[in-house]
DNA sequence: ATAAATCTCGACCTTCTTAGTCAAGAAAGA
DNA sequence: TCTTTCTTGACTAAGAAGGTCGAGATTTAT
C-alpha cells in the first residue's frame, strides 16, 4: 500500500470535481455520496486541499467546492506530495518516522530506496487527474 | 517510506550474514551490535527469517545464524516479500488494510497503483544482497 | 553429568499513525 | 433574518509498528 486511504479520498474528491467541472460549486455532501467517502472526514480533507492551489470553495447557499486548475494540469504526484506535507520529512525514502533523516542520507539503503521512490513518483507525475477521469473503473493502459 | 524499520533490520541482518559468510555461525548479539539493531527485536526478526529459506541457525555453544543461499541469489524483493507475509493481502496496491481487496481489483486506482508497485519491485528484485554488501554506505550507481 | 552459551517461543507492552467524528461558528444568498 | 454550506479545531478509537521479557530447549565444553 503506497497511498493511505485519506490520500486516496483526496484523489477521488478531485476526480469528482473534475467530472463536474463547469457546472458550478459541488457540495461536500454530493462528493461524499458520489465517491463513498465519510462526510465528516471529507470535510477535513477538502479543507486541507484548499491549501494546494488546485481547489477552491464558496460558502453559503449554492456554495461548494470546485477546481481552479484544468484536470489535465494536475498530476497524481502533485496531489500526493501536497497531502504528504513537508517534503523534507520524506526526501529520504529510507527514513521511517517524522523529522529529518538522522543518517543524513548516508545509510546503506538510501540509494536503493530513493531509486524506488523516484520510480513511483515518475508514474504518479505522469498520470493526471484527467487520466483518472477517463479511465475510471474501465481499465486504462 | 516504503520499507518499515523492521524490514530494514531484516535486510541489514542478512547483509551482515553475507559479509561474514564462510566463517561459521554468527551470534545474534554480534549481528545486533554490528548493525545497531535492538537485540531482542532482532531475535524476533531472525526467528521469522528462518522461514524464508535464506537463513538457518544452529543452537548452543558456538551457535548462531548463517546464510544458506549465496548472497547474489537473494534479492531485496525476495526478502521484503517474505517479510510482508501473505501476498494475497498486498496484491492490490490500493488496498489499505488486511484481508482481500474488497473492490476485487476494480477500483479507480488499481491500475495506477499496481503499476507503481511493479516499478518498485522491479528495482527491489534487481538488487541483490551482494549488491548491498558491495555498495554498503559507499554509494553505488 | 553439568554448566555455559545460544537460539526459541510466545506473550506482552508502548507509542505513533491513520481514520474518523463532532460541535460551534462564519459567510453568503434568498 | 433564516437557511444553506463551508470552516475550524479539538477529540476519540482502532490498528500497526516497534520493541521487551521470561522461561525453556539444544548444543558444546569441561
Amino acid at each position: 500500500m503506497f497511498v493511505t486511504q485519506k490520500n486516496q479520498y483526496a484523489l477521488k474528491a478531485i476526480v469528482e470535481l473534475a467530472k463536474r467541472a463547469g457546472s458550478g460549486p459541488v457540495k461536500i455532501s454530493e462528493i461524499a455520496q458520489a465517491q463513498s467517502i465519510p462526510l465528516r472526514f471529507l470535510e477535513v480533507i477538502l479543507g486541507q486541499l484548499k491549501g494546494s492551489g488546485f481547489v477552491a470553495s464558496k460558502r453559503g447557499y449554492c456554495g461548494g467546492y470546485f477546481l481552479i486548475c484544468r484536470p489535465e494540469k494536475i498530476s497524481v504526484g502533485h496531489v500526493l506530495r501536497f497531502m504528504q506535507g513537508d517534503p523534507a520529512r520524506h526526501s529520504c525514502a529510507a527514513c521511517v518516522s517524522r523529522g529529518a533523516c538522522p543518517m543524513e542520507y548516508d545509510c546503506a539503503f538510501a540509494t536503493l530506496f530513493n531509486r524506488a521512490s523516484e520510480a513511483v513518483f515518475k508514474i504518479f507525475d505522469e498520470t493526471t487527474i484527467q487520466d483518472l477521469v477517463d479511465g475510471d473503473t474501465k481499465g486504462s493502459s
Side-chain angles (χ1 to χ4, degrees), chain A:
Chain A
M1 203 262 294
F2 294 112
V3 180
T4 62
Q5 183 80 314
K6 182 180 180 186
N7 290 356
Q8 292 189 38
Y9 287 157
L11 285 169
K12 285 183 179 182
I14 293 182
V15 165
E16 189 63 26
L17 292 179
K19 283 184 184 172
R20 305 184 182 215
S23 6
V26 186
K27 283 178 281 203
I28 293 183
S29 56
E30 287 177 44
I31 303 170
Q33 183 164 38
Q35 294 286 337
S36 302
I37 303 172
L39 175 62
R40 298 296 208 157
F41 199 23
L42 183 56
E43 289 178 358
V44 173
I45 293 164
L46 284 169
Q48 267 185 259
L49 278 176
K50 282 186 62 177
S52 70
F54 303 132
V55 308
S57 63
K58 185 165 175 291
R59 295 210 230 193
Y61 196 88
C62 286
Y65 279 84
F66 49 93
L67 286 189
I68 53 179
C69 293
R70 297 223 314 282
E72 61 270 24
K73 293 291 183 188
I74 308 173
S75 75
V76 171
H78 282 144
V79 176
L80 295 181
R81 264 189 272 259
F82 171 78
M83 290 301 291
Q84 280 169 11
D86 180 6
R89 282 189 187 172
H90 298 277
S91 53
C92 174
C95 287
V96 166
S97 53
R98 52 189 166 192
C101 177
M103 305 290 285
E104 294 178 344
Y105 309 99
D106 195 32
C107 67
F109 302 128
T111 304
L112 175 62
F113 292 169
N114 285 329
R115 281 204 298 142
S117 180
E118 281 160 22
V120 168
F121 271 96
K122 178 164 187 298
I123 291 172
F124 287 166
D125 288 339
E126 285 170 359
T127 304
T128 69
I129 296 299
Q130 186 61 47
D131 293 334
L132 292 179
V133 170
D134 294 342
D136 198 3
T137 297
K138 296 163 207 80
S140 64
S141 77

